[in-house]
Amino acid sequence: MSTGKNILNALRQQLNLGDYRKKHWEGTFEEYLDIVREHPEVTRTAYQRLYDMILSHGTEEVYDQKEKTTRYNFFNQFAAQQGDAIYGLDRQLHNLVNTFKSAAKGYGTEKRVLLLHGPVGSSKSTIARLLKKGLEQASRSDEGMLFSYSWKATHSSLSPSGRVQSDGSEMLWQKCPMHEDPLHLVPFDLRLQLLEKLNEGRKPNDVQAVVQGDMCPFCRQMYNERLAKFDGDWNRMLEEVKVYRLILSEQDRIGIGTFQPKDEKNQDSTELTGDINYRKIAEYGSDSDPRAFNFDGELNIANRGLVEFIEVLKLDVAFLYDLLGASQEHKIKPKKFAQTDIDEVILGHTNEPEYRRLQNNEFMEALRDRTVKIDIPYVTRLKDEIKIYEKDFNPERVKGKHIAPHTIEIAAMWAVLTRLTPPKHANLTLLQKLKLYNGKTLPGFTEDNVVELKREALAEGMTGISPRYIQDKISNALVAHPEEGCVNPFMVLHELEAGLRHHSLITNQDQLQQYKELLSVVREEYEDIVKNEVQRAIAADEDALMRLCSNYIDNVKAYTQREKVRNRYTGNFEEPDERLMRSVEEKIDIPEGRKDDFRREIMNYIGALAIDGKKFDYKTNERLQKALELKLFEDQKDTIKLTTLVSSVVDKATQEKIDVVKSRLIRNYGYCEVCSTDVLSFVASIFARGHAKK
Ligand SMILES: Nc1ncnc2c1ncn2[C@@H]1O[C@H](COP(=O)(O)OP(=O)(O)OP(=O)(O)O)[C@@H](O)[C@H]1O
Ligand SMILES: [Mg+2]
């Protein structure tokens, strides 16, 4: 067994001391110039840093309904490391990153407030949180390092972080409150020359060292005092400066800030730009002495990184003015001081109602003109919506309770349906539209039609049910029946419906009615899904399936090669059995007009396998497997009387068959003892009602 000592020793080996020293590097200004000479990227602006950080995680080209977009691993791989993820918003995230890109290149967007705009619960905060985490982490990496500086001070009241020198006197270092780049210490008339030297030998396309902006009021005061002390000798003044590696941290309020609106009485601009330190006014004799001022507003401390404005449009107009200056001029105005340069990404988010208010308010025109709006809608593809819930509700996180198959799918399906715009096509239902978006092919609809459908519904995803509502209702369903070992779609559907009456965001009866109707749509769809599944489970007799499969393939092969098939019994050569082939293909909705394609596809697939020396197995082709199972079910549906399940007396032979089907449901479809029994009696009752559609 491990003792405390062992544990500590093991942990100690994990800790990388070299790494610690690297991250806590301190040095002289001269040494910093050496670093800049070698790594000019340490002087990047906050936007460049952010953009480079996102790219550093890698990208991937993806095609989404014929449109090419770039997918950034940052929003999935890095996010996953943080226990987070953004699904289904590739295009929107691509827009967002493009805005960062143009800001990084200085094309103008760096002078705007970036506004994530979307309905409640569309992952705006999640995106902001990820960006902050990403910046923090990047600042700890070699590629993302950045630096700031502190002043040597003698006055003991200046800093709580004083150190005792060997001679017993206190040695104090006071950090620049806005974590500025040390190059700010270079006077303007020397900068050009300095940059020339720092960038000597670099090609125009190489990363260049840059200096932008001037010192904050506090550093200005320190600077002037020291310059006076050394009689204008800048080099000697620099001896009182120490450069250190800056690690961004939201918790420590370094380079990452968050501002959340509160009620109007309780907030004023000091929260953004800092406040007078009344305790120190007496000491320095004036409230305009920068030493008697705390430059610790959200915009101050977020310098070099990112500041997030939660619900930015709920802010008072007075605040918005600060924000305008901050974005447009990259300057803020702390009380009693001159304008101060900042270098930070300003990211706000807002909901639809607030944004509409902005649109209608003339006074806000200045703001409107300076914002870049990026829509973050709800997900409209079922697959992606399912992933949102599977992240929280999976066997690892939900212990001691089984989640029946399709439970999450059905809830997600309803959520997506509430967000879709009814299609203009007369013969396309909302559910079919959902399936098209989800990548399913429907007879008569091409990918172009899907693109068109999207184009005619541009505001799609900006309204409807939020993922948060679904998450809450799934949680409710999980705890509502403590005696049950398994939560099924009916329990979740029940919670979803019951909650609607109290839903604060549903404002009118029509909408409520519509949402309820959509619940019946998904209920019906669920019936179809499980009916299908149970039928397949009944038919999942492997030997029979294999025989059917080889029979089908023999016929398809003969058909595509215009040959005849040898009859197994008579040995005669006959025409391919069209009826057999069609009865299989119809099970998965292959229309007459597409059958040739489908058959050729299968033969190509088998051919490709043969080249690799592999044998075809129907289980590797999901669609074919489904078709075969359904066909087999049809052929033998009389051998098992499902309806007997609902009666209380079941003979032994039937019970044995039922047990086989149940075990298949458990083995192949993810059911448990409880939900497989439930689903069998449910399907039996559908058949008993005579509702069998096909
Ligand atoms: N596209 C998505 N990918 C992954 N998760 C999502 C997505 N959309 C919403 N979520 C989930 O929904 C929940 C709400 O997200 P978040 O708090 O980021 O939304 P928001 O847009 O900031 O909402 P609000 O406007 O109410 O502040 C989170 O659990 C989030 O993980
Ligand atoms: Mg939010």
Side-chain angles (χ1 to χ4, degrees), residues 256-436:
I256 310 277
T258 309
F259 187 76
Q260 182 151 26
K262 298 181 204 86
D263 79 277
E264 284 166 23
K265 283 185 228 85
N266 278 332
Q267 78 185 359
D268 61 73
S269 65
T270 58
E271 282 186 55
L272 287 183
T273 52
D275 201 0
I276 295 164
N277 184 336
Y278 290 96
R279 208 165 49 79
K280 291 207 177 153
I281 292 182
E283 199 176 318
Y284 294 105
S286 156
D287 62 357
S288 57
D289 189 307
R291 289 166 301 182
F293 194 88
N294 293 333
F295 293 90
D296 64 353
E298 229 48 57
L299 287 168
N300 301 109
I301 62 106
N303 196 31
R304 312 294 300 283
L306 178 147
V307 61
E308 174 191 8
F309 279 82
I310 296 173
E311 301 288 355
V312 61
L313 298 181
K314 286 213 171 88
L315 284 177
D316 208 44
V317 182
F319 280 83
L320 292 174
Y321 285 134
D322 276 331
L323 200 57
L324 287 187
S327 55
Q328 179 78 25
E329 334 285 345
H330 284 226
K331 283 183 198 299
I332 54 174
K333 169 90 184 62
K335 257 192 221 169
K336 305 268 179 191
F337 295 98
Q339 287 205 317
T340 304
D341 289 309
I342 54 167
D343 166 31
E344 62 201 74
V345 177
I346 301 177
L347 187 71
H349 40 94
T350 180
N351 293 326
E352 178 68 22
E354 260 85 34
Y355 188 74
R356 233 177 291 129
R357 225 184 50 191
L358 170 74
Q359 292 276 299
N360 297 331
N361 185 343
E362 278 179 40
F363 295 111
M364 302 275 232
E365 204 166 311
L367 179 69
R368 206 163 50 202
D369 198 43
R370 287 170 175 80
T371 46
V372 173
K373 175 174 79 108
I374 289 149
D375 284 339
I376 306 293
Y378 292 137
V379 166
T380 54
R381 200 192 346 218
L382 179 62
K383 283 181 210 158
D384 295 321
E385 187 71 10
I386 292 175
K387 286 189 207 148
I388 298 180
Y389 309 122
E390 279 181 344
K391 190 174 68 157
D392 296 325
F393 304 106
N394 56 51
E396 249 147 63
R397 299 198 53 182
V398 181
K399 299 267 189 229
K401 198 121 189 170
H402 179 249
I403 300 177
H406 310 297
T407 305
I408 284 178
E409 177 186 346
I410 289 298
M413 189 181 286
W414 179 67
V416 173
L417 282 177
T418 65
R419 301 167 188 166
L420 296 183
T421 316
K424 290 188 185 137
H425 269 271
N427 50 2
L428 186 71
T429 65
L430 204 60
L431 184 65
Q432 283 173 322
K433 182 176 179 180
L434 175 141
K435 290 182 179 172
L436 284 176

Side-chain angles (χ1 to χ4, degrees), residues 421-425 428 433 437 449-460:
T421 316
K424 290 188 185 137
H425 269 271
L428 186 71
K433 182 176 179 180
Y437 278 13
N449 294 127
V450 181
V451 173
E452 203 177 299
L453 280 172
K454 289 216 162 135
R455 211 167 285 150
E456 71 180 30
L458 285 178
E460 207 157 52

Side-chain angles (χ1 to χ4, degrees), residues 119-126 129 308 310-311 349 351 468:
V120 289
S122 67
S123 78
K124 300 179 295 294
S125 300
T126 309
R129 185 170 61 239
E308 174 191 8
I310 296 173
E311 301 288 355
H349 40 94
N351 293 326
R468 229 181 255 132

